[in-house]
Amino acid sequence: MMIIKNMESADLAAPQKGHRVTQVCWGLLLALSVLIYGSHAPLITLCKVDNKIPFSSSSCVVLIELAKFIVSLGLLFLRGRHSLHIAVSWKHVVPYAVPALLYAVNNNLVVFMQVHMDPSTFQVLSNLKIASTALLYSAALRKRLNRRQWLSLALLMAAGICHTHSSMGTPKQKVDEAIPGTQFHITALGLLLLLVYCIVSGLAAVYTELILKTQRLPLNLQNLFLYFFGIVVNSGAHLASAEVSNGFFDGYSWWVGVIVVTQALNGLLMSVVMKHSSNITRLFVISCSMLVNAVYSVALFNLQLTPLFFVSVFFIAVAIHLYYHV
């Protein structure tokens, strides 16, 4: 009887140990993604020469997509050789072109919106992406969110707005005095474009999650399709841009190499989150990364934190508690 009890205890302990290991792995994955997201803006600042970005941003995006494609291809051969024998038709592949096209549309919208609103207004109002993503996530994936969860997402938006205001640095009056004619503004067309931008952004994210979860294909193979179209669309965008007149690698430094590596890694991590978790988790990662961004900026550029930063920290902490009950 004692032997049987010991065996039963061992059988119960094994799943619990496996669950703890899974939790630790997820925690490390999400923490790494937060750190990478938060490092993006400081790394771009470190690349600047005379306060200008010296390299082609479109060529950098192409390299990031190419790096993700190569890693996915390598992982497919190393870890999923059995998946190479899976019959794949064009019906499996074509859907992955949609996210690449949607993100390309949004990249162009961001450029066009600069005419109809100032950057600070865009930064504040772009936090509406949280609401649009959550609404589309709930509708497309049929995931009903309760009031507590909607409140937590509203707090994430509030945290984003507070963080944006805290990082502006210069009050409106001082900006207007320093740069004549500079003012906060947004036109009716600008507001419409912003709403389209937020909807398209949410649609791209939710659609990506939908195809990753509904297609019964290995993640590495799905990533291969996704990043192939990313390379094609972004290469076309680069060739169509004014930046193509310069050399592809003009202005590159080792900091740009760090950006390519980290953003490629982050894209791969986010595909794991989309496949095995949700877009809501992605929203929390992005929100937490704002705080990491501020910490990097304090360490590297002597940024002075304002009270609004700590309000953002409080809002995000409460939002995590409300949504995940931790």
Side-chain angles (χ1 to χ4, degrees), residues 159 162-163 291 307-320:
C162 289
H163 179 267
L291 309 181
L308 280 176
F309 168 79
F310 298 101
V311 173
S312 298
V313 173
F314 174 74
F315 282 165
I316 291 173
V318 174
I320 292 173

Side-chain angles (χ1 to χ4, degrees), residues 57-315:
S57 57
S58 59
S59 69
C60 186
V61 173
V62 172
L63 287 179
I64 291 169
E65 293 298 308
L66 181 60
K68 290 188 288 187
F69 180 86
I70 292 172
V71 172
S72 299
L73 183 62
L75 290 174
L76 186 64
F77 276 97
L78 290 174
R79 301 183 58 188
R81 293 180 182 178
H82 65 282
S83 61
L84 298 176
H85 303 290
I86 295 175
V88 177
S89 70
W90 64 270
K91 292 181 180 179
H92 292 101
V93 179
V94 171
Y96 292 90
V98 176
L101 292 171
L102 289 175
Y103 285 123
V105 168
N106 255 16
N107 290 337
N108 284 285
L109 276 176
V110 170
V111 175
F112 189 58
M113 279 190 292
Q114 303 303 314
V115 180
H116 300 280
M117 71 184 73
D118 65 281
S120 296
T121 300
F122 169 73
Q123 290 283 340
V124 172
L125 295 181
S126 64
N127 287 287
L128 290 171
K129 288 190 296 185
I130 294 174
S132 64
T133 302
L135 287 168
L136 289 166
Y137 168 82
S138 180
L141 298 175
R142 298 179 181 178
K143 302 286 187 180
R144 296 192 63 180
L145 304 178
N146 57 40
R147 292 181 181 179
R148 187 185 180 104
Q149 291 171 323
W150 281 114
L151 176 59
S152 70
L153 294 174
L155 286 172
L156 281 189
M157 283 196 294
I161 292 170
C162 289
H163 179 267
T164 302
H165 276 294
S166 70
S167 61
M168 285 180 186
T170 309
K172 175 181 181 298
Q173 293 80 3
K174 290 184 180 179
V175 171
D176 293 342
E177 290 171 5
I179 309 173
T182 300
Q183 57 183 358
F184 290 83
H185 73 282
I186 182 170
T187 65
L189 179 58
L191 184 59
L192 177 62
L193 290 173
L194 182 80
L195 292 175
V196 173
Y197 167 83
C198 291
I199 292 171
V200 172
S201 177
L203 184 61
V206 172
Y207 180 84
T208 302
E209 179 181 347
L210 185 64
I211 56 174
L212 288 177
K213 286 182 173 176
T214 54
Q215 285 194 358
R216 296 186 177 278
L217 296 174
L219 180 58
N220 291 323
L221 185 59
Q222 291 178 308
N223 281 342
L224 209 61
F225 302 149
L226 190 64
Y227 302 139
F228 168 77
F229 286 110
I231 293 169
V232 172
V233 172
N234 286 290
S235 295
H238 173 69
L239 292 173
S241 69
E243 296 175 329
V244 75
S245 59
N246 301 322
F248 192 89
F249 294 105
D250 279 2
Y252 273 56
S253 64
W254 75 280
W255 283 119
V256 184
V258 173
I259 290 174
V260 171
V261 171
T262 55
Q263 291 308 302
L265 175 59
N266 199 42
L268 294 165
L269 293 177
M270 280 298 102
S271 69
V272 176
V273 171
M274 294 280 204
K275 180 80 169 181
H276 300 291
S277 186
S278 70
N279 260 293
I280 303 301
T281 302
R282 184 182 68 89
L283 293 177
F284 275 94
V285 167
I286 294 171
S287 294
C288 291
S289 72
M290 296 186 304
L291 309 181
V292 174
N293 182 356
V295 172
Y296 281 145
S297 298
V298 168
L300 296 172
F301 312 116
N302 296 318
L303 175 74
Q304 298 298 313
L305 298 178
T306 69
L308 280 176
F309 168 79
F310 298 101
V311 173
S312 298
V313 173
F314 174 74
F315 282 165

Side-chain angles (χ1 to χ4, degrees), residues 4-17:
I4 293 173
K5 287 182 179 180
N6 288 339
M7 289 176 64
E8 289 177 347
S9 299
D11 289 340
L12 289 172
Q16 291 176 353
K17 184 178 180 180

